[in-house]
Amino acid sequence: MTSVLKNNDCQPKLNYLLALVCMLGPALVALVPMAVAPALPAMALYFQDVDSSDLFAQMVMTTPAIMIIVFAPISGILSERYGVRLNLLTGLFLYIVFGFSGYFISDATLLIISRLLLGLAGGAVLTNSLILIGSSFSGHHRELLLGLATSLASIFAALALIFGGNMVDTLGWRSSFMLYLIAAPVMIIAWFCVKSTPPIAKAKTAKKSNANSYSHKALIPLWPFYAVLILFTIGMFSPSIQGPFSLEMKGIHSASEKGLILSLTSICAVFSSALFGYFRRYFSSYTILLIDLFTMASGFILLSIATDTYSLGLACAIIGIGAGLSEPSIASILLDRTKIHIHGLAMGLVVSALNAGQFINPLIMNFFKSMSNIDSAFMMLGLIFSLVLFIAYIRRPTPNNRPDPLSKLA
């Protein structure tokens, strides 16, 4: 895949529009589950004739992630073959259609199907947004966009909870599906600023000496980065999924106090991810990865032993710093260590890893909790991050061997 848009190939205004599309893609995907979150109780009441209506409402929120995990790598391969423009515009169009369709659907089965198809579209949108960042920008601009995209996604998720709740109270549960129409102006902007790219299928006729440049086998040695990203995602979702049970056990019963403490994770994640581009001026992506691992390890260890509101809040804040840096740091490393021609699958696997960690979290944490309690589970998670930090540190790149990454573990 050739560069979609080089920084010196267009007017500055067009560059800014492309950057906006790149940042809004992840933000739109953050809306996939969060847009309907405030509507779940009302939705469960509407579908009360369905067995376990509460569970059904929760499935409406979570089922898109299944298709994101499965389809994101496929979308990456399709983008390599047919170009980013076609796949991104198709993903945005399907996002609007299947997202907003929930406003009209009254059948439970059709609603679940529409949500699965929305996940398919979301996987395409997020994957191609990351591909665009990697192929259209370089240096500080790329690092800045990776951080801002993650930060904007967190902001969209928070705003969806606030404004979505007001919409549900005023207009009913169906109104939450109107939020997906935000993708319409993004699609219009993308239509004008994302350029067509030649397919990579021509690689099949490339000389044998150049064939390895197009081979997806180059991703195999990089599997440790994807494994670490799954671990990061398990960690970043632990405060919101497991945190309330820990705070309840420690005598904090007020829902507002719990929310305030746990929200520090998201708040700090917004700021740390937004500052990723600034940090990259002074530190390598690998160094930031080590800092990331350290903050997650220390945050969870502190969370496991903390007993008062201030120390619990501090622990969540430290975890939030790591949560915000995890996606941009690993995405940056993978973009640096792969040929542009295989960025599609490389970024598709990033999207799958992010969503896989969310699904794995309850399974892993419940297993750890079965050994003792939730605090012991947090301590175990902190020790795992510490072990990975130790291995990553001893495998760190040396000044004379910059390309030596975590991939040495493979």
Coordinates of all heavy atoms in Angstrom, one line a residue, residues 208-303:
K208 N 10.6 -12.2 -6.6 CA 10.7 -13.1 -5.5 C 11.5 -12.4 -4.4 O 11.3 -12.6 -3.2 CB 11.4 -14.4 -5.9 CG 11.4 -15.5 -4.8 CD 11.9 -16.8 -5.3 CE 11.9 -17.8 -4.1 NZ 12.4 -19.1 -4.6
S209 N 12.5 -11.7 -4.8 CA 13.4 -11.0 -3.7 C 12.6 -10.0 -2.9 O 13.0 -9.7 -1.8 CB 14.6 -10.3 -4.4 OG 14.1 -9.3 -5.4
N210 N 11.5 -9.5 -3.5 CA 10.7 -8.5 -2.8 C 9.5 -9.1 -2.1 O 8.7 -8.4 -1.5 CB 10.3 -7.4 -3.7 CG 11.5 -6.6 -4.2 OD1 12.5 -6.5 -3.5 ND2 11.4 -6.1 -5.5
A211 N 9.2 -10.4 -2.3 CA 8.0 -11.0 -1.8 C 7.8 -10.9 -0.3 O 6.7 -10.7 0.2 CB 8.0 -12.5 -2.3
N212 N 8.9 -11.0 0.4 CA 8.8 -10.9 1.9 C 8.3 -9.6 2.4 O 7.8 -9.5 3.5 CB 10.2 -11.2 2.5 CG 10.6 -12.7 2.3 OD1 9.7 -13.5 2.2 ND2 11.9 -12.9 2.4
S213 N 8.5 -8.5 1.6 CA 8.0 -7.2 2.0 C 6.5 -7.2 2.1 O 5.9 -6.4 2.8 CB 8.4 -6.2 1.0 OG 9.8 -6.1 1.0
Y214 N 5.8 -8.1 1.4 CA 4.3 -8.2 1.4 C 3.8 -9.3 2.2 O 2.6 -9.5 2.2 CB 3.8 -8.3 -0.1 CG 4.2 -7.1 -1.0 CD1 5.4 -7.1 -1.6 CD2 3.3 -6.0 -1.1 CE1 5.8 -6.0 -2.4 CE2 3.7 -4.9 -1.9 CZ 4.9 -4.9 -2.5 OH 5.2 -3.8 -3.3
S215 N 4.6 -10.1 2.8 CA 4.2 -11.3 3.5 C 3.7 -11.0 4.9 O 4.4 -10.2 5.6 CB 5.3 -12.3 3.6 OG 5.0 -13.4 4.4
H216 N 2.6 -11.5 5.3 CA 2.1 -11.4 6.6 C 2.8 -12.2 7.7 O 2.6 -12.0 8.9 CB 0.6 -11.8 6.7 CG -0.3 -10.8 5.9 ND1 -1.3 -11.2 5.0 CD2 -0.3 -9.5 5.9 CE1 -1.9 -10.2 4.5 NE2 -1.3 -9.1 5.0
K217 N 3.7 -13.0 7.2 CA 4.6 -13.8 8.1 C 5.4 -12.9 9.0 O 5.9 -13.3 10.0 CB 5.4 -14.8 7.3 CG 4.6 -15.9 6.7 CD 5.5 -16.9 6.0 CE 4.7 -18.0 5.3 NZ 5.6 -19.0 4.6
A218 N 5.7 -11.7 8.5 CA 6.5 -10.8 9.2 C 5.9 -10.4 10.5 O 6.5 -9.9 11.4 CB 6.7 -9.5 8.4
L219 N 4.6 -10.6 10.7 CA 3.9 -10.3 11.9 C 4.1 -11.3 13.0 O 3.9 -11.0 14.2 CB 2.4 -10.1 11.7 CG 1.9 -8.9 10.8 CD1 0.4 -9.0 10.5 CD2 2.3 -7.6 11.5
I220 N 4.5 -12.5 12.6 CA 4.6 -13.6 13.6 C 5.5 -13.3 14.7 O 5.2 -13.5 15.9 CB 4.9 -14.9 12.9 CG1 3.8 -15.4 11.9 CG2 5.2 -16.0 13.9 CD1 4.2 -16.6 11.1
P221 N 6.7 -12.8 14.4 CA 7.6 -12.5 15.6 C 7.1 -11.4 16.5 O 7.7 -11.2 17.6 CB 8.9 -12.0 14.8 CG 8.8 -12.6 13.5 CD 7.4 -12.5 13.1
L222 N 6.1 -10.7 16.1 CA 5.6 -9.5 16.9 C 4.5 -9.9 17.8 O 3.8 -9.1 18.4 CB 5.1 -8.4 15.9 CG 6.2 -7.8 15.0 CD1 5.6 -6.8 14.1 CD2 7.3 -7.2 15.8
W223 N 4.2 -11.2 17.9 CA 3.0 -11.7 18.7 C 3.1 -11.2 20.2 O 2.1 -11.0 20.8 CB 2.9 -13.2 18.6 CG 4.0 -14.0 19.3 CD1 5.1 -14.5 18.8 CD2 4.1 -14.3 20.7 NE1 5.9 -15.1 19.7 CE2 5.3 -15.0 20.9 CE3 3.3 -14.0 21.8 CZ2 5.7 -15.5 22.2 CZ3 3.7 -14.5 23.1 CH2 4.9 -15.2 23.2
P224 N 4.3 -11.1 20.8 CA 4.3 -10.6 22.2 C 3.7 -9.3 22.4 O 3.1 -9.0 23.4 CB 5.8 -10.6 22.5 CG 6.5 -11.6 21.6 CD 5.7 -11.4 20.3
F225 N 3.8 -8.4 21.4 CA 3.2 -7.1 21.5 C 1.7 -7.2 21.6 O 1.0 -6.5 22.3 CB 3.6 -6.2 20.4 CG 5.0 -5.7 20.4 CD1 5.9 -6.2 19.5 CD2 5.5 -4.9 21.4 CE1 7.3 -5.8 19.5 CE2 6.8 -4.5 21.4 CZ 7.7 -5.0 20.5
Y226 N 1.1 -8.1 20.8 CA -0.3 -8.3 20.8 C -0.8 -8.9 22.1 O -1.8 -8.6 22.6 CB -0.8 -9.1 19.6 CG -0.6 -8.5 18.3 CD1 0.5 -8.8 17.4 CD2 -1.5 -7.5 17.8 CE1 0.6 -8.2 16.2 CE2 -1.3 -6.8 16.6 CZ -0.2 -7.2 15.8 OH -0.1 -6.6 14.6
A227 N 0.0 -9.8 22.6 CA -0.3 -10.5 23.9 C -0.2 -9.4 25.0 O -1.1 -9.4 25.9 CB 0.7 -11.6 24.2
V228 N 0.8 -8.5 25.0 CA 0.8 -7.5 26.0 C -0.3 -6.5 25.9 O -0.9 -6.0 26.9 CB 2.2 -6.7 25.9 CG1 2.2 -5.5 26.8 CG2 3.3 -7.6 26.3
L229 N -0.8 -6.2 24.7 CA -1.9 -5.3 24.5 C -3.2 -6.0 25.0 O -4.0 -5.3 25.6 CB -2.1 -5.0 23.0 CG -3.2 -4.0 22.6 CD1 -3.0 -2.7 23.4 CD2 -3.3 -3.8 21.1
I230 N -3.4 -7.3 24.9 CA -4.5 -8.0 25.5 C -4.4 -7.8 27.0 O -5.4 -7.5 27.7 CB -4.5 -9.4 25.1 CG1 -4.9 -9.6 23.6 CG2 -5.6 -10.2 26.0 CD1 -4.8 -11.0 23.1
L231 N -3.2 -8.0 27.6 CA -3.0 -7.8 29.0 C -3.3 -6.4 29.5 O -4.0 -6.2 30.5 CB -1.6 -8.1 29.4 CG -1.2 -8.0 30.9 CD1 -2.0 -8.9 31.8 CD2 0.3 -8.2 31.1
F232 N -2.9 -5.4 28.7 CA -3.2 -4.0 29.0 C -4.7 -3.8 29.0 O -5.3 -3.1 29.9 CB -2.6 -3.1 28.0 CG -1.2 -2.7 28.3 CD1 -0.2 -2.8 27.3 CD2 -0.8 -2.2 29.5 CE1 1.1 -2.4 27.6 CE2 0.5 -1.8 29.8 CZ 1.4 -1.9 28.8
T233 N -5.4 -4.4 28.1 CA -6.9 -4.2 28.0 C -7.6 -4.8 29.1 O -8.6 -4.3 29.7 CB -7.4 -4.7 26.7 OG1 -6.6 -4.3 25.6 CG2 -8.9 -4.3 26.4
I234 N -7.1 -6.0 29.6 CA -7.6 -6.7 30.8 C -7.5 -5.7 32.0 O -8.4 -5.5 32.8 CB -6.9 -8.0 31.0 CG1 -7.3 -9.0 30.0 CG2 -7.3 -8.5 32.4 CD1 -6.5 -10.3 30.1
G235 N -6.3 -5.1 32.0 CA -6.0 -4.1 33.1 C -6.9 -2.9 33.1 O -7.5 -2.5 34.1
M236 N -7.0 -2.3 31.9 CA -7.7 -1.0 31.8 C -9.2 -1.1 32.1 O -9.9 -0.2 32.5 CB -7.5 -0.4 30.4 CG -8.2 -1.0 29.3 SD -8.0 -0.1 27.7 CE -6.3 -0.3 27.4
F237 N -9.8 -2.4 31.9 CA -11.2 -2.6 32.1 C -11.5 -3.1 33.6 O -12.6 -3.1 34.0 CB -11.8 -3.5 31.1 CG -12.2 -2.9 29.8 CD1 -11.3 -3.0 28.7 CD2 -13.4 -2.2 29.7 CE1 -11.7 -2.4 27.5 CE2 -13.7 -1.6 28.5 CZ -12.8 -1.7 27.4
S238 N -10.4 -3.5 34.3 CA -10.6 -4.0 35.6 C -11.2 -3.0 36.6 O -12.1 -3.4 37.4 CB -9.3 -4.6 36.1 OG -8.9 -5.8 35.5
P239 N -10.8 -1.7 36.6 CA -11.4 -0.8 37.6 C -12.9 -0.7 37.4 O -13.7 -0.7 38.4 CB -10.7 0.5 37.3 CG -9.4 0.1 36.8 CD -9.6 -1.1 36.0
S240 N -13.4 -0.6 36.1 CA -14.8 -0.4 35.9 C -15.6 -1.7 36.1 O -16.7 -1.7 36.5 CB -15.0 0.1 34.5 OG -14.5 -0.8 33.5
I241 N -15.0 -2.9 35.7 CA -15.7 -4.1 35.8 C -15.6 -4.7 37.2 O -16.6 -5.2 37.8 CB -15.2 -5.1 34.8 CG1 -15.5 -4.6 33.4 CG2 -15.9 -6.5 35.0 CD1 -14.9 -5.5 32.3
Q242 N -14.4 -4.7 37.8 CA -14.2 -5.4 39.1 C -14.1 -4.4 40.2 O -14.3 -4.8 41.4 CB -12.8 -6.2 39.0 CG -12.7 -7.1 37.8 CD -13.7 -8.2 37.8 OE1 -14.2 -8.6 38.9 NE2 -13.9 -8.8 36.6
G243 N -13.8 -3.1 39.9 CA -13.6 -2.1 41.0 C -14.7 -2.0 42.0 O -14.5 -1.9 43.2
P244 N -16.0 -1.9 41.5 CA -17.1 -1.7 42.4 C -17.2 -2.8 43.5 O -17.5 -2.5 44.6 CB -18.3 -1.8 41.5 CG -17.8 -1.3 40.2 CD -16.4 -1.9 40.1
F245 N -16.8 -4.0 43.2 CA -16.9 -5.1 44.1 C -15.8 -4.9 45.2 O -16.0 -5.2 46.4 CB -16.7 -6.4 43.4 CG -17.8 -6.7 42.4 CD1 -17.6 -6.5 41.1 CD2 -19.1 -7.2 42.8 CE1 -18.5 -6.8 40.1 CE2 -20.0 -7.4 41.9 CZ -19.8 -7.2 40.5
S246 N -14.6 -4.4 44.8 CA -13.5 -4.2 45.7 C -13.9 -3.1 46.7 O -13.7 -3.2 47.9 CB -12.2 -3.9 44.9 OG -11.2 -3.5 45.8
L247 N -14.4 -2.0 46.1 CA -14.8 -0.8 47.0 C -15.9 -1.2 47.9 O -15.9 -0.7 49.1 CB -15.2 0.3 46.1 CG -14.2 0.9 45.1 CD1 -14.7 2.1 44.4 CD2 -12.9 1.3 45.9
E248 N -16.8 -2.0 47.5 CA -17.9 -2.4 48.4 C -17.4 -3.2 49.5 O -17.8 -3.1 50.7 CB -18.9 -3.3 47.6 CG -20.2 -3.7 48.3 CD -21.2 -2.6 48.5 OE1 -21.1 -1.6 47.7 OE2 -22.0 -2.6 49.5
M249 N -16.4 -4.1 49.2 CA -15.8 -5.0 50.3 C -15.0 -4.1 51.3 O -14.9 -4.5 52.4 CB -14.9 -6.0 49.6 CG -14.3 -7.0 50.5 SD -13.3 -8.3 49.7 CE -11.9 -7.2 49.3
K250 N -14.5 -2.9 50.8 CA -13.7 -2.1 51.7 C -14.6 -1.1 52.4 O -14.0 -0.1 53.0 CB -12.6 -1.4 50.9 CG -11.6 -2.4 50.4 CD -10.5 -1.8 49.5 CE -9.5 -2.8 49.1 NZ -8.4 -2.3 48.2
G251 N -15.9 -1.2 52.3 CA -16.8 -0.4 53.1 C -17.2 0.9 52.4 O -17.9 1.8 53.0
I252 N -17.0 1.0 51.1 CA -17.4 2.2 50.4 C -18.7 1.8 49.7 O -18.7 1.1 48.6 CB -16.4 2.7 49.4 CG1 -15.1 3.1 50.1 CG2 -16.9 3.8 48.5 CD1 -14.0 3.5 49.2
H253 N -19.9 2.2 50.2 CA -21.2 1.7 49.7 C -21.9 2.8 48.9 O -22.8 2.5 48.1 CB -22.1 1.3 50.9 CG -21.4 0.3 51.8 ND1 -21.1 -1.0 51.4 CD2 -21.1 0.4 53.1 CE1 -20.6 -1.7 52.4 NE2 -20.5 -0.9 53.4
S254 N -21.4 4.0 48.9 CA -22.1 5.1 48.2 C -21.7 4.9 46.7 O -20.6 4.8 46.3 CB -21.6 6.4 48.7 OG -22.0 7.5 47.8
A255 N -22.8 4.9 45.8 CA -22.6 4.7 44.4 C -21.8 5.9 43.8 O -21.0 5.8 42.9 CB -23.9 4.5 43.7
S256 N -22.2 7.1 44.3 CA -21.5 8.3 43.8 C -20.0 8.3 44.2 O -19.2 8.8 43.4 CB -22.2 9.6 44.4 OG -22.2 9.6 45.8
E257 N -19.7 7.9 45.4 CA -18.3 7.8 45.8 C -17.5 6.8 45.0 O -16.4 7.0 44.6 CB -18.2 7.5 47.3 CG -16.8 7.6 47.8 CD -16.7 7.5 49.3 OE1 -17.7 7.3 50.0 OE2 -15.6 7.5 49.9
K258 N -18.2 5.7 44.8 CA -17.5 4.6 43.9 C -17.3 5.2 42.5 O -16.2 5.0 42.0 CB -18.4 3.4 43.8 CG -18.6 2.6 45.0 CD -19.5 1.4 44.8 CE -19.8 0.7 46.0 NZ -20.9 -0.4 45.8
G259 N -18.3 5.9 42.0 CA -18.1 6.4 40.6 C -17.0 7.5 40.6 O -16.3 7.5 39.6
L260 N -16.9 8.3 41.6 CA -15.9 9.3 41.6 C -14.5 8.7 41.6 O -13.6 9.1 40.9 CB -16.1 10.2 42.8 CG -15.0 11.3 43.0 CD1 -15.1 12.3 41.8 CD2 -15.3 12.1 44.3
I261 N -14.3 7.7 42.5 CA -13.0 7.0 42.6 C -12.6 6.4 41.3 O -11.5 6.5 40.7 CB -13.0 6.0 43.7 CG1 -13.1 6.7 45.1 CG2 -11.7 5.2 43.7 CD1 -13.4 5.8 46.3
L262 N -13.6 5.6 40.8 CA -13.3 4.8 39.6 C -13.1 5.7 38.3 O -12.4 5.3 37.4 CB -14.4 3.7 39.3 CG -14.5 2.7 40.5 CD1 -15.6 1.7 40.2 CD2 -13.2 1.9 40.6
S263 N -13.8 6.8 38.3 CA -13.7 7.7 37.1 C -12.4 8.3 36.9 O -12.0 8.7 35.8 CB -14.8 8.8 37.3 OG -14.4 9.7 38.3
L264 N -11.5 8.3 38.0 CA -10.2 8.8 37.9 C -9.4 8.0 36.9 O -8.4 8.5 36.2 CB -9.5 8.8 39.2 CG -10.1 9.8 40.2 CD1 -9.4 9.6 41.6 CD2 -9.8 11.2 39.8
T265 N -9.7 6.7 36.7 CA -9.0 5.9 35.7 C -9.3 6.5 34.3 O -8.3 6.7 33.5 CB -9.5 4.4 35.7 OG1 -9.3 3.9 37.0 CG2 -8.8 3.6 34.7
S266 N -10.5 6.8 33.9 CA -10.8 7.3 32.6 C -10.3 8.7 32.4 O -9.8 9.1 31.4 CB -12.4 7.3 32.4 OG -12.9 6.0 32.5
I267 N -10.4 9.5 33.5 CA -10.0 10.9 33.4 C -8.5 11.0 33.1 O -8.0 11.7 32.2 CB -10.3 11.7 34.7 CG1 -11.8 11.8 34.8 CG2 -9.6 13.1 34.7 CD1 -12.3 12.4 36.1
C268 N -7.7 10.2 33.9 CA -6.2 10.2 33.7 C -5.9 9.6 32.3 O -4.9 10.0 31.7 CB -5.5 9.4 34.8 SG -5.6 10.3 36.4
A269 N -6.7 8.6 31.8 CA -6.4 8.0 30.5 C -6.6 9.0 29.4 O -5.8 9.0 28.4 CB -7.3 6.8 30.3
V270 N -7.6 9.9 29.6 CA -7.8 10.9 28.5 C -6.5 11.8 28.4 O -6.0 12.1 27.3 CB -9.0 11.8 28.9 CG1 -9.1 13.0 28.0 CG2 -10.3 11.0 28.7
F271 N -6.0 12.2 29.6 CA -4.8 13.2 29.5 C -3.6 12.5 29.1 O -2.8 13.0 28.4 CB -4.7 13.8 30.9 CG -5.7 14.8 31.2 CD1 -6.8 14.6 32.1 CD2 -5.6 16.1 30.6 CE1 -7.7 15.5 32.3 CE2 -6.6 17.1 30.9 CZ -7.6 16.8 31.8
S272 N -3.3 11.2 29.6 CA -2.1 10.6 29.3 C -2.0 10.2 27.8 O -1.0 10.4 27.2 CB -1.9 9.3 30.1 OG -2.9 8.3 29.8
S273 N -3.1 9.8 27.2 CA -3.1 9.5 25.8 C -3.0 10.7 24.9 O -2.3 10.7 23.9 CB -4.4 8.7 25.4 OG -5.6 9.5 25.8
A274 N -3.6 11.8 25.4 CA -3.5 13.1 24.7 C -2.0 13.6 24.7 O -1.6 14.3 23.7 CB -4.4 14.1 25.3
L275 N -1.3 13.3 25.7 CA 0.1 13.7 25.8 C 1.1 12.7 25.2 O 2.3 13.0 25.3 CB 0.5 13.9 27.3 CG -0.2 15.1 28.0 CD1 0.0 15.1 29.5 CD2 0.2 16.4 27.4
F276 N 0.6 11.6 24.6 CA 1.5 10.6 24.1 C 2.5 11.2 23.0 O 3.7 11.0 23.0 CB 0.7 9.5 23.5 CG 1.6 8.5 22.8 CD1 2.3 7.6 23.5 CD2 1.7 8.4 21.4 CE1 3.2 6.6 22.9 CE2 2.5 7.5 20.7 CZ 3.2 6.6 21.5
G277 N 1.9 12.1 22.1 CA 2.7 12.7 21.1 C 3.8 13.6 21.7 O 5.0 13.6 21.2
Y278 N 3.5 14.3 22.8 CA 4.5 15.1 23.5 C 5.6 14.2 24.1 O 6.8 14.5 24.0 CB 3.8 15.9 24.6 CG 4.8 16.7 25.5 CD1 5.3 17.9 25.0 CD2 5.1 16.3 26.7 CE1 6.2 18.7 25.8 CE2 6.0 17.0 27.5 CZ 6.5 18.2 27.0 OH 7.4 18.9 27.8
F279 N 5.2 13.1 24.8 CA 6.2 12.2 25.4 C 7.1 11.6 24.3 O 8.3 11.4 24.6 CB 5.5 11.1 26.1 CG 4.7 11.5 27.3 CD1 3.5 10.8 27.7 CD2 5.0 12.6 28.0 CE1 2.8 11.2 28.8 CE2 4.3 13.0 29.1 CZ 3.1 12.3 29.5
R280 N 6.6 11.4 23.1 CA 7.4 10.8 22.1 C 8.5 11.7 21.6 O 9.4 11.3 20.9 CB 6.6 10.3 20.9 CG 5.9 9.0 21.1 CD 6.8 7.8 21.1 NE 7.2 7.5 19.8 CZ 8.4 7.6 19.3 NH1 9.4 8.0 20.0 NH2 8.7 7.2 18.0
R281 N 8.4 13.0 21.9 CA 9.5 13.9 21.6 C 10.8 13.6 22.4 O 11.9 13.9 22.0 CB 9.1 15.4 21.9 CG 8.0 15.9 20.9 CD 7.7 17.3 21.3 NE 6.7 17.9 20.4 CZ 7.0 18.7 19.4 NH1 8.3 18.9 19.1 NH2 6.1 19.2 18.6
Y282 N 10.6 13.0 23.5 CA 11.7 12.8 24.5 C 12.0 11.3 24.7 O 13.1 10.9 25.2 CB 11.4 13.5 25.8 CG 11.1 14.9 25.6 CD1 9.8 15.4 25.6 CD2 12.1 15.9 25.4 CE1 9.5 16.7 25.5 CE2 11.8 17.2 25.3 CZ 10.5 17.6 25.3 OH 10.2 19.0 25.1
F283 N 11.0 10.4 24.5 CA 11.2 9.0 24.8 C 10.8 8.2 23.6 O 9.9 8.6 22.8 CB 10.3 8.6 26.0 CG 10.6 9.4 27.2 CD1 9.7 10.3 27.6 CD2 11.7 9.1 28.0 CE1 9.8 11.1 28.8 CE2 11.9 9.9 29.2 CZ 11.0 10.8 29.5
S284 N 11.4 7.0 23.4 CA 11.1 6.1 22.4 C 9.7 5.4 22.7 O 9.3 5.4 23.9 CB 12.1 5.0 22.2 OG 12.2 4.2 23.3
S285 N 9.1 4.8 21.8 CA 7.8 4.1 22.0 C 8.1 3.0 23.0 O 7.2 2.7 23.8 CB 7.2 3.6 20.7 OG 6.9 4.6 19.9
Y286 N 9.2 2.3 22.9 CA 9.5 1.2 23.8 C 9.7 1.7 25.2 O 9.3 1.0 26.1 CB 10.8 0.5 23.3 CG 10.9 -0.9 23.8 CD1 10.4 -2.0 23.2 CD2 11.6 -1.1 25.1 CE1 10.5 -3.3 23.7 CE2 11.7 -2.4 25.6 CZ 11.2 -3.5 24.9 OH 11.3 -4.7 25.4
T287 N 10.4 2.8 25.4 CA 10.5 3.4 26.7 C 9.2 3.7 27.3 O 8.9 3.4 28.5 CB 11.4 4.6 26.7 OG1 12.7 4.3 26.2 CG2 11.6 5.2 28.1
I288 N 8.3 4.3 26.5 CA 6.9 4.6 27.0 C 6.2 3.3 27.4 O 5.5 3.3 28.4 CB 6.2 5.4 26.0 CG1 6.8 6.8 25.8 CG2 4.7 5.6 26.4 CD1 6.2 7.6 24.7
L289 N 6.5 2.2 26.6 CA 5.9 0.9 26.9 C 6.3 0.5 28.3 O 5.5 -0.1 29.1 CB 6.2 -0.1 25.9 CG 5.7 -1.5 26.1 CD1 4.2 -1.5 26.1 CD2 6.3 -2.4 25.0
L290 N 7.6 0.6 28.6 CA 8.1 0.2 29.9 C 7.5 1.1 31.0 O 7.1 0.5 32.1 CB 9.6 0.4 30.0 CG 10.5 -0.5 29.0 CD1 11.9 -0.2 29.2 CD2 10.2 -2.0 29.4
I291 N 7.3 2.4 30.8 CA 6.7 3.2 31.8 C 5.2 2.8 32.0 O 4.7 2.8 33.1 CB 6.7 4.7 31.3 CG1 8.2 5.2 31.3 CG2 5.9 5.6 32.2 CD1 8.4 6.6 30.6
D292 N 4.6 2.4 30.9 CA 3.2 2.0 30.9 C 3.1 0.7 31.7 O 2.2 0.6 32.6 CB 2.8 1.7 29.4 CG 1.3 1.6 29.2 OD1 0.6 1.7 30.2 OD2 0.9 1.4 28.1
L293 N 4.0 -0.2 31.5 CA 3.9 -1.5 32.3 C 4.1 -1.2 33.8 O 3.5 -1.8 34.7 CB 5.0 -2.4 31.8 CG 4.7 -3.1 30.5 CD1 5.9 -3.8 29.9 CD2 3.6 -4.1 30.6
F294 N 5.0 -0.2 34.1 CA 5.3 0.1 35.5 C 4.1 0.8 36.2 O 3.8 0.4 37.3 CB 6.5 1.1 35.6 CG 6.8 1.6 36.9 CD1 7.5 0.8 37.9 CD2 6.4 2.9 37.3 CE1 7.7 1.3 39.2 CE2 6.6 3.3 38.6 CZ 7.3 2.6 39.5
T295 N 3.4 1.7 35.5 CA 2.3 2.3 36.1 C 1.1 1.3 36.3 O 0.5 1.3 37.4 CB 1.8 3.4 35.2 OG1 1.4 2.9 33.9 CG2 2.8 4.5 35.1
M296 N 0.9 0.4 35.4 CA -0.1 -0.6 35.6 C 0.2 -1.6 36.7 O -0.6 -1.9 37.6 CB -0.3 -1.4 34.3 CG -0.8 -0.6 33.1 SD -2.5 0.1 33.4 CE -3.5 -1.3 32.7
A297 N 1.5 -2.0 36.8 CA 1.9 -2.9 37.9 C 1.8 -2.2 39.3 O 1.2 -2.8 40.2 CB 3.4 -3.3 37.7
S298 N 2.3 -1.0 39.4 CA 2.2 -0.3 40.7 C 0.8 0.1 41.0 O 0.4 0.1 42.2 CB 3.1 0.9 40.6 OG 2.8 1.8 39.6
G299 N 0.0 0.5 40.0 CA -1.4 0.8 40.2 C -2.2 -0.3 40.8 O -3.0 -0.1 41.8
F300 N -2.1 -1.5 40.2 CA -2.9 -2.6 40.7 C -2.4 -3.1 42.1 O -3.2 -3.6 42.9 CB -2.9 -3.7 39.7 CG -3.9 -3.5 38.6 CD1 -3.5 -3.2 37.3 CD2 -5.3 -3.6 38.9 CE1 -4.5 -3.0 36.3 CE2 -6.2 -3.4 37.9 CZ -5.8 -3.1 36.6
I301 N -1.1 -3.1 42.3 CA -0.6 -3.5 43.6 C -1.1 -2.5 44.7 O -1.5 -3.0 45.8 CB 1.0 -3.5 43.6 CG1 1.4 -4.7 42.7 CG2 1.5 -3.7 45.0 CD1 2.9 -4.8 42.5
L302 N -1.1 -1.2 44.4 CA -1.6 -0.3 45.3 C -3.1 -0.4 45.5 O -3.6 -0.4 46.7 CB -1.3 1.2 44.9 CG -1.9 2.3 45.7 CD1 -1.3 2.2 47.1 CD2 -1.5 3.7 45.1
L303 N -3.8 -0.7 44.4 CA -5.3 -0.9 44.5 C -5.6 -2.1 45.4 O -6.6 -2.1 46.1 CB -5.9 -1.1 43.1 CG -7.4 -1.2 43.0 CD1 -8.0 0.1 43.5 CD2 -7.8 -1.5 41.6

